Amino acid sequence: MKILCAYNANIDAIYKVNGLQMSSFAQDYGQEISVRLQNPPGSISLIPDLFAGLFLCMQNGTGAEWMVRDEEVFQWLKSSFLEDSFMRIGGNMGIMANVLSELGASRVIPNIPNPSPLQMSFFSGRAIYVPSEGGLKRISDVHQREPSEDSQEMIHFVFDFKKGDSFLLLGKQMSVPRENRFIATYDPLNFELYIDEEFSKYALSNIGDIDGALIAGYHMLRETYPDGSGYKEKLRRSLEQLKAWKDRNSKLHIHAELGHFYSAGIASDAFSGLAPLVDSIGINEDELAMLAGIYNIDSAGILEMDALSIVRASAALCESFGIRRILIHTREFVISVSPTSVSESVKTFEALHFGVKCAAAFACTGKLADRNTLLAVASGIDESDPGRMQIAKLEDNIPIQYRENGIIGEYRGYSVCAVPTRLCIHPVSTVGLGDTVSSAIFLRELELGS
Ligand code: GLC
């Protein structure tokens, strides 16, 4: 399989949070943090903003990503946390490209916004090839631009916290209800939805020979940029690129993976722009709830991970926008909703199981490996009980055509495939699991010819 991947990649510096240690780091900023807990800034301009964002997430067990606006705070993050972090490829596109490469795609061709030696060193060497001088080069052979004096690595600090950890919030001892992560993102390039020229040229000239494209990064777009421009032009450039690919190769299968949008306007423009162009859209329950809210679709039950509510809202989105498939991945289960036949759904069902297993093994070990190794690791990981319960509830509410560790059913003319996830008790990190599940499913479906 030859697959294009665009647009966002960065370095993730994953830092394992120790609640009490973080509370002592934050001690000097007590008053400032308290003000920000009442009125969260949503981005990081000063150090107390970071602690407010992190503690809010830890308090509720939720995830969030806030942009670092100030270069000095970024330097402080590096000097305070980088040494004790472990670094790996980040960004939805970067993660998905590595998954495809390790799982056995023959050629994975990424758009790399910042090909610094450090970032390049985290890409999989197995099947990733970079467009260069009209052809493709193995990642190890690419001339890697040294970062210039004033340029920075695009590092996202991923603060991973564990369920049950304790921390002090305004002098009160708190306990974390669920593992999750808070991301502090410094990243001027990916905010632009940067498209590399060599990538664009290669993709357009060779599109007839490509099987699929995985795209992501739209949630990084901002309302305004330092040069005064807005996001609309950057979004338009990308949508035109996808359209040109489809015009030249109607068989090209495109999956768009969305992320957490900080603005409803950008989410709505990206979603409605992508819907007619792509074959499938991947989201989690937070993103589904946001889209449902934007389009006045009933969102009750989505954040509580009620599978029937998720199916209902997804089918409504498919109907309103003519989307060929919505893939919803949650911590407990993965569901595909699409207007396809049962015979095609059997392949989707198999692909969902495959994706869930790959993601579980990745969560457990923190590393990718070839598919046999990942599947062997996954066979020892238990299925989610809440996931199984939700799927049993679906069985009681919609007509079912097939069941075996999950279901294929029907909801208002849409085919519904649902499988429980597999949950590792002590995940190395939870960041990038949605990308891993989506890209593994995408590859398996291409292989099965659905
Ligand atoms: C977002 C973050 C990135 C992380 C990715 C995981 O793109 O910016 O740091 O690796 O999500 O899905």
Side-chain angles (χ1 to χ4, degrees):
M1 290 299 157
K2 292 188 188 152
I3 303 171
L4 298 172
C5 291
Y7 294 90
N8 61 328
N10 59 268
I11 295 168
D12 275 349
I14 299 175
Y15 182 86
K16 299 231 158 248
V17 170
N18 170 324
L20 291 178
Q21 192 185 34
M22 273 294 174
S23 314
S24 84
F25 286 162
Q27 234 170 19
D28 293 346
Y29 307 99
Q31 182 55 33
E32 288 125 296
I33 295 172
S34 142
V35 174
R36 287 161 172 81
L37 290 174
Q38 302 304 318
N39 193 6
S43 62
I44 303 167
S45 308
L46 294 166
I47 294 171
D49 298 334
L50 172 93
F51 289 114
L54 175 65
F55 290 154
L56 278 171
C57 285
M58 289 173 73
Q59 183 182 16
N60 302 313
T62 47
E65 179 169 6
W66 287 9
M67 165 184 165
V68 177
R69 292 182 179 274
D70 182 89
E71 178 108 27
E72 268 176 41
V73 177
F74 180 56
Q75 297 306 336
W76 172 82
L77 278 165
K78 284 203 287 189
S79 61
S80 310
F81 300 108
L82 199 55
E83 202 179 310
D84 295 322
S85 301
F86 80 92
M87 287 191 276
R88 68 180 189 196
I89 199 70
N92 314 71
M93 180 308 274
I95 294 168
M96 296 196 293
N98 270 11
V99 170
L100 296 173
S101 167
E102 291 296 320
L103 286 181
S106 57
R107 286 259 188 293
V108 179
I109 302 140
N111 167 67
I112 304 183
N114 184 36
S116 71
L118 185 63
Q119 186 168 144
M120 294 302 253
S121 72
F122 296 122
F123 274 107
S124 153
R126 205 182 163 284
I128 294 192
Y129 291 80
V130 181
S132 170
E133 294 155 12
L136 288 180
K137 283 194 177 162
R138 270 193 168 278
I139 199 114
S140 48
D141 298 336
V142 186
H143 162 73
Q144 295 160 355
R145 287 201 297 262
E146 289 291 340
S148 62
E149 288 278 298
D150 57 355
S151 82
Q152 294 277 15
E153 294 290 355
M154 305 296 123
I155 300 180
H156 299 194
F157 283 87
V158 179
F159 292 93
D160 248 318
F161 47 85
K162 285 197 301 281
K163 179 178 172 178
D165 194 11
S166 305
F167 66 106
L168 294 176
L169 190 65
L170 310 178
K172 243 174 78 188
Q173 177 132 348
M174 313 286 287
S175 175
V176 176
R178 191 188 124 172
E179 82 275 3
N180 217 319
R181 81 282 180 288
F182 173 73
I183 311 180
T185 288
Y186 177 82
D187 197 337
L189 265 185
N190 286 302
F191 287 146
E192 299 264 345
L193 204 65
Y194 179 85
I195 309 181
D196 177 59
E197 217 170 288
E198 292 272 3
F199 171 82
S200 292
K201 275 196 257 167
Y202 180 88
L204 199 59
S205 325
N206 294 276
I207 199 70
D209 204 24
I210 304 281
D211 301 289
L214 266 179
I215 54 162
Y218 299 93
H219 64 292
M220 305 290 285
L221 287 167
R222 304 283 118 183
E223 295 281 359
T224 49
Y225 292 84
D227 65 0
S229 62
Y231 69 89
K232 289 200 192 249
E233 172 58 21
K234 302 174 206 310
L235 175 61
R236 192 187 55 78
R237 243 184 341 174
S238 150
L239 297 178
E240 272 173 9
Q241 177 165 62
L242 304 184
K243 182 159 184 320
W245 294 350
K246 276 278 194 189
D247 285 347
R248 292 194 181 192
N249 178 358
S250 60
K251 294 208 183 78
L252 181 79
H253 197 82
I254 306 183
H255 172 85
E257 187 64 27
L258 300 188
H260 179 83
F261 285 89
Y262 90 110
S263 133
I266 301 178
S268 153
D269 284 347
F271 184 76
S272 58
L274 287 165
L277 292 174
V278 304
D279 300 278
S280 113
I281 293 185
I283 46 179
N284 66 21
E285 73 278 10
D286 286 325
E287 293 141 21
L288 178 63
M290 180 179 200
L291 290 168
I294 293 173
Y295 299 115
N296 293 323
I297 292 169
D298 183 7
S299 65
I302 297 177
L303 291 176
E304 291 72 35
M305 281 192 248
D306 175 66
L308 187 60
S309 306
I310 287 181
V311 167
R312 194 184 297 131
S314 305
L317 279 177
C318 283
E319 201 168 9
S320 308
F321 290 90
I323 299 167
R324 291 183 274 275
R325 130 92 75 87
I326 293 193
L327 179 72
I328 309 97
H329 38 77
T330 75
R331 182 178 184 273
E332 318 297 346
F333 51 78
V334 178
I335 296 184
S336 151
V337 176
S338 65
T340 47
S341 65
V342 175
S343 67
E344 275 182 71
S345 298
V346 172
K347 295 177 190 166
T348 303
F349 187 76
E350 180 184 333
L352 294 193
H353 271 301
F354 178 72
V356 156
K357 287 180 191 160
C358 293
F362 178 53
C364 237
T365 59
K367 288 197 294 265
L368 289 168
D370 64 87
R371 74 174 69 188
N372 291 337
T373 311
L374 288 180
L375 294 178
V377 173
S379 64
I381 306 173
D382 288 339
E383 285 180 343
S384 152
D385 277 336
R388 274 205 290 239
M389 272 159 54
Q390 282 300 327
I391 289 169
K393 228 175 98 186
L394 264 187
E395 282 190 53
D396 296 339
N397 283 282
I398 63 173
I400 300 297
Q401 277 116 10
Y402 181 79
R403 64 169 66 78
E404 195 194 334
N405 287 350
I407 53 115
I408 302 176
E410 202 209 307
Y411 178 80
R412 292 181 47 197
Y414 288 90
S415 174
V416 176
C417 295
V419 305
T421 53
R422 289 175 182 245
L423 292 180
C424 155
I425 303 172
H426 298 296
V428 171
S429 172
T430 55
V431 74
L433 293 183
D435 305 323
T436 307
V437 115
S438 288
S439 46
I441 291 170
F442 177 78
L443 178 65
R444 192 71 194 118
E445 280 197 301
L446 279 184
E447 290 171 353
L448 292 169
S450 34

